Amino acid sequence: IGVVLCSVAVIALIFFGMYIYAVPRKAYLKSRQELSGVIDQIATMQNLKQAEETRLEHQQKLMELLKAREAGFSLFSFVDKTIGDLNLRTYANASNTARRGGEAKDAGKIETVTLSLKGVGLKQIMDVLHALYSSNNLVIVQRMDRLAPSQAGSGMDCELVLASLKT
């Protein structure tokens, strides 16, 4: 009877030992998984924070450029002056672009101008683009509708839609 009781006691001790070991081990493994998940979330949040800081830094630079622009900046006047400085008045026609209501959500903040160049060379088109972009007036080419050989003779015809933020 003593051997049987000792055997039962040893078996019971082994089961209790396995139970006591298994429960904390499960909790440990679960907490380890949760910790790795939290570490991944922290890394993701740090990446998002870094991306947001970079975006804000870029936006700050753009705002400084906007503040440095002359008061009452008009994209049409700037494009017209640039065309005059490049001696392309006979080849160019600039007009304010009327925006349709649903075309863009920021339509009230963006000024657009359509610039038509007729019978110009590729170098003259590049000179216009260089003059517009190098001015630090935040002028972009929103769309190039046409770049084709000129109907009237030599050169090329080009139509650009230029955009800039209103101040």
Side-chain angles (χ1 to χ4, degrees), residues 18 22 41 46 54-55 60 66 81 106 118 120 124 128 130 137 144 151 163:
M18 288 175 39
Q41 286 179 347
Q46 287 175 337
T54 303
R55 187 191 69 79
Q60 183 65 29
L66 282 175
K81 180 185 175 297
D106 295 331
K118 299 202 185 283
V120 296
Q124 291 168 316
V128 169
H130 182 341
N137 282 319
M144 180 181 271
Q151 300 290 337

Side-chain angles (χ1 to χ4, degrees), residues 21-33:
Y21 175 75
V23 171
R25 174 97 172 131
K26 283 183 183 178
Y28 166 75
L29 292 175
K30 183 179 178 184
S31 67
R32 188 174 181 183
Q33 288 176 344

Side-chain angles (χ1 to χ4, degrees), residues 31-80:
S31 67
R32 188 174 181 183
Q33 288 176 344
E34 289 174 358
L35 180 63
S36 68
V38 169
I39 290 172
D40 290 343
Q41 286 179 347
I42 289 172
T44 301
M45 291 299 174
Q46 287 175 337
N47 290 340
L48 289 173
K49 180 183 175 191
Q50 181 65 32
E52 182 66 14
E53 287 174 353
T54 303
R55 187 191 69 79
L56 288 174
E57 183 179 306
H58 183 67
Q59 184 177 2
Q60 183 65 29
K61 289 178 185 176
L62 291 176
M63 295 306 291
E64 288 172 6
L65 285 173
L66 282 175
K67 286 180 184 177
R69 240 175 16 182
E70 62 188 40
F73 174 80
S74 168
L75 180 60
F76 178 79
S77 299
F78 174 69
V79 171
D80 191 51

Side-chain angles (χ1 to χ4, degrees), residues 134-153:
S134 66
S135 68
N136 286 334
N137 282 319
L138 296 178
V139 177
I140 62 165
V141 175
Q142 185 179 26
R143 187 173 67 236
M144 180 181 271
D145 284 339
R146 187 171 34 131
L147 180 62
S150 179
Q151 300 290 337

